[in-house]
């Protein structure tokens, strides 16, 4: 689900030195420390990093909150135990689909049974951290998305969150893409997004810093935390020029970059006369439903250990038997 297949930049793993340097810089800016949440997410699966649990410890050692996003494919028994023992604040599970075919259509590979087993084994464990379960609303899931929300909300998770398809594959390859309506763009106008400015800059594995999640190749770097202090980057000329170009919708003129045009969160349009107008979507498919927290009764009743090989089929049968509720709560989560 990430941009690995289209990224041009050299790939690698963030070093502990870059992590320590980043955390030292954050500690000088963000007080109290618990007001800052560090998200371990990026252009790959965090559990591939051999030092991921050491990184979690380093973040918590500085007093910051930390969450981790995973597709659970690598969440085997050894990693589950390490995760349970870690001081993690929240685990975000991304699991899109309800059987092998739907999972493969969205994720690109068939890891349905493996990921489902790893998730259900984790949910059997006692834990200190919060779990949020993430679903995707796209063409593949549209007819069953409310059933999926209802089913997963019965498991021992704190919340089930559904996002409208906004990922790299959907936007670039038009696969599974689902948008409410096409934006009618007048001749000479440019559609772009200003939502990046609502979030703090991102630190990439090599220490480069950029503002936008779509800048996966660091085309518009605003600094390098390996060589500069984070506070200086935020005040620096490169960052100020980036913000100006983004606010004015002139990223292409300034950087030759087009990732603003492919951004699924496009919220602005610059007309040929230079006027900036805001774009409004008529509908929003993002939603969230409260889960059962630490209540394991539903899980243990329907997924006994003696039938692990049948868990995929059991899951699908339960899903199709769902009578989805209309309760829960909707939440705008764009940006």
């Amino acid at each position: 689900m990430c941009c690995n297949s289209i990224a041009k930049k050299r790939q690698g793993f963030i070093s502990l030195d870059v992590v320590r340097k980043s955390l030292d810089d954050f500690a000088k800016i963000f007080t109290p420390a618990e007001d800052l949440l560090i998200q371990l997410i990026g252009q790959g699966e965090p559990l591939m990093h051999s030092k991921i649990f050491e990184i979690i410890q380093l973040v918590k050692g500085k007093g910051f909150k930390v969450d981790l996003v995973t597709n659970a494919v690598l969440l085997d028994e050894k990693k589950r135990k390490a995760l349970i023992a870690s001081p993690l604040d929240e685990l975000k599970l991304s699991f899109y689909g309800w059987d092998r075919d739907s999972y493969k259509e969205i994720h690109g590979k068939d890891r349905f049974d493996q990921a489902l087993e790893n998730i259900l084994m984790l949910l059997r464990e006692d834990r200190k951290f919060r779990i949020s379960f993430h679903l995707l609303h796209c063409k593949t899931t549209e007819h069953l998305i409310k059933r999926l929300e209802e089913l997963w909300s019965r498991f021992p998770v704190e919340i089930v969150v559904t996002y409208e398809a906004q990922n790299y594959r959907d936007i670039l390859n038009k696969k599974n893409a689902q948008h409410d309506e096409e934006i009618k763009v007048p001749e000479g106008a440019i559609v772009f997004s200003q939502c990046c400015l609502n979030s703090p800059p991102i630190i990439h594995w090599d220490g480069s810093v950029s503002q936008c999640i779509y800048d996966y190749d660091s085309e518009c770097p605003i600094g390098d935390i390996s060589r500069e202090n984070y506070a200086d980057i935020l005040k620096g000329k490169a960052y100020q020029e980036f913000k100006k170009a983004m606010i004015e919708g002139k990223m292409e003129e300034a950087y030759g970059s087009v990732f603003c045009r492919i951004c699924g969160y496009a919220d602005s349009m610059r007309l040929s006369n230079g006027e900036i107008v805001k774009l409004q979507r008529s509908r929003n498919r993002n939603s969230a439903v409260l889960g059962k927290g630490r209540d394991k009764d539903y899980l243990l009743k329907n997924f006994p250990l003696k039938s692990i090989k049948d868990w995929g089929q059991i899951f699908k049968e339960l899903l199709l038997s769902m009578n989805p509720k209309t309760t829960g709560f909707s939440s705008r989560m764009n940006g």
Side-chain angles (χ1 to χ4, degrees):
M1 291 306 294
C2 39
C3 60
N4 278 334
S5 62
I6 57 175
K8 301 173 184 176
K9 179 180 175 181
R10 182 173 61 93
Q11 299 181 27
F13 292 101
I14 193 168
S15 71
L16 294 184
D17 287 341
V18 170
V19 172
R20 293 189 184 97
K21 170 63 165 57
S22 302
L23 295 173
D24 287 343
D25 285 2
F26 295 159
K28 298 172 184 176
I29 303 173
F30 300 100
T31 55
E34 60 267 21
D35 284 351
L36 184 67
L37 169 66
I38 306 293
Q39 287 197 309
L40 303 180
I41 183 175
Q43 299 169 18
E45 166 57 48
L47 291 180
M48 290 180 67
H49 200 301
S50 63
K51 303 291 185 181
I52 187 62
F53 299 107
E54 191 170 343
I55 291 174
I56 293 173
Q57 292 283 358
L58 288 172
V59 174
K60 291 302 292 182
K62 285 291 185 178
F64 300 119
K65 293 179 181 178
V66 58
D67 72 27
L68 181 147
V69 182
T70 179
N71 59 27
V73 171
L74 298 178
L75 198 54
D76 57 17
E77 182 179 5
K78 181 179 179 181
K79 287 187 170 64
R80 284 198 300 273
K81 291 184 180 300
L83 201 61
I84 294 295
S86 78
L88 188 71
D89 290 292
E90 180 169 356
L91 180 69
K92 296 179 177 176
L93 294 169
S94 298
F95 187 71
Y96 310 138
W98 62 87
D99 62 8
R100 291 177 177 176
D101 291 340
S102 59
Y103 185 96
K104 184 176 181 180
E105 184 175 356
I106 299 173
H107 285 271
K109 293 183 179 180
D110 177 14
R111 298 287 187 272
F112 176 80
D113 290 331
Q114 181 180 357
L116 178 64
E117 179 181 329
N118 288 344
I119 290 170
L120 296 184
M121 291 299 290
L122 173 68
L123 295 182
R124 301 174 76 92
E125 303 276 359
D126 292 328
R127 54 184 165 83
K128 295 180 181 179
F129 52 82
R130 164 187 167 96
I131 290 182
S132 57
F133 202 93
H134 292 219
L135 303 173
L136 187 69
H137 191 150
C138 61
K139 289 180 179 178
T140 301
T141 62
E142 182 174 27
H143 64 299
L144 287 175
I145 193 66
K146 290 302 178 185
R147 291 172 182 254
L148 280 166
E149 288 180 344
E150 171 63 16
L151 178 55
W152 278 114
S153 70
R154 298 189 181 193
F155 287 84
V157 301
E158 275 67 28
I159 193 169
V160 178
V161 181
T162 299
Y163 293 98
E164 183 181 8
Q166 300 284 4
N167 56 68
Y168 301 102
R169 177 180 297 165
D170 287 342
I171 293 165
L172 297 182
N173 297 339
K174 307 299 182 185
K175 182 178 181 181
N176 275 310
Q178 177 169 303
H179 298 284
D180 300 312
E181 56 190 0
E182 289 188 16
I183 300 171
K184 292 182 173 59
V185 182
E187 185 176 353
I190 292 178
V191 172
F192 65 101
S193 177
Q194 297 180 347
C195 70
C196 289
L197 300 178
N198 297 329
S199 304
I202 299 157
I203 297 174
H204 296 272
W205 71 269
D206 58 358
S208 61
V209 182
S210 60
Q211 180 64 46
C212 181
I213 60 170
Y214 287 91
D215 189 13
Y216 41 79
D217 284 322
S218 300
E219 295 177 66
C220 307
I222 60 172
D224 187 329
I225 204 161
S226 301
R227 297 182 285 104
E228 306 168 80
N229 291 324
Y230 192 70
D232 293 336
I233 292 174
L234 297 183
K235 298 174 184 176
K237 181 180 178 181
Y239 191 31
Q240 305 313 311
E241 290 178 346
F242 176 91
K243 289 194 292 185
K244 184 175 186 294
M246 178 160 283
I247 290 171
E248 296 177 353
K250 296 182 178 180
M251 292 294 290
E252 290 184 53
E253 291 94 325
Y255 299 97
S257 172
V258 296
F259 57 75
C260 272
R261 286 197 179 191
I262 65 172
C263 177
Y265 297 107
D267 56 18
S268 305
M269 181 164 57
R270 178 163 61 89
L271 304 179
S272 57
N273 64 2
E275 179 185 1
I276 305 295
V277 296
K278 284 293 181 181
L279 299 173
Q280 294 293 332
R281 284 189 176 182
S282 59
R283 297 166 57 200
N284 186 340
R285 295 187 177 93
N286 291 350
S287 62
V289 178
L290 293 176
K292 299 299 183 183
R294 309 300 169 94
D295 185 356
K296 303 176 188 175
D297 291 348
Y298 187 82
L299 169 65
L300 299 179
K301 175 184 175 181
N302 291 286
F303 296 90
L305 290 175
K306 63 182 180 181
S307 60
I308 289 180
K309 65 180 177 58
D310 299 319
W311 279 2
Q313 184 60 31
I314 294 171
F315 181 87
K316 188 173 182 178
E317 290 175 359
L318 286 171
L319 176 72
L320 296 178
S321 70
M322 284 290 107
N323 181 18
K325 299 178 180 178
T326 56
T327 55
F329 61 92
S330 294
S331 173
R332 289 196 67 86
M333 291 174 286
N334 289 353

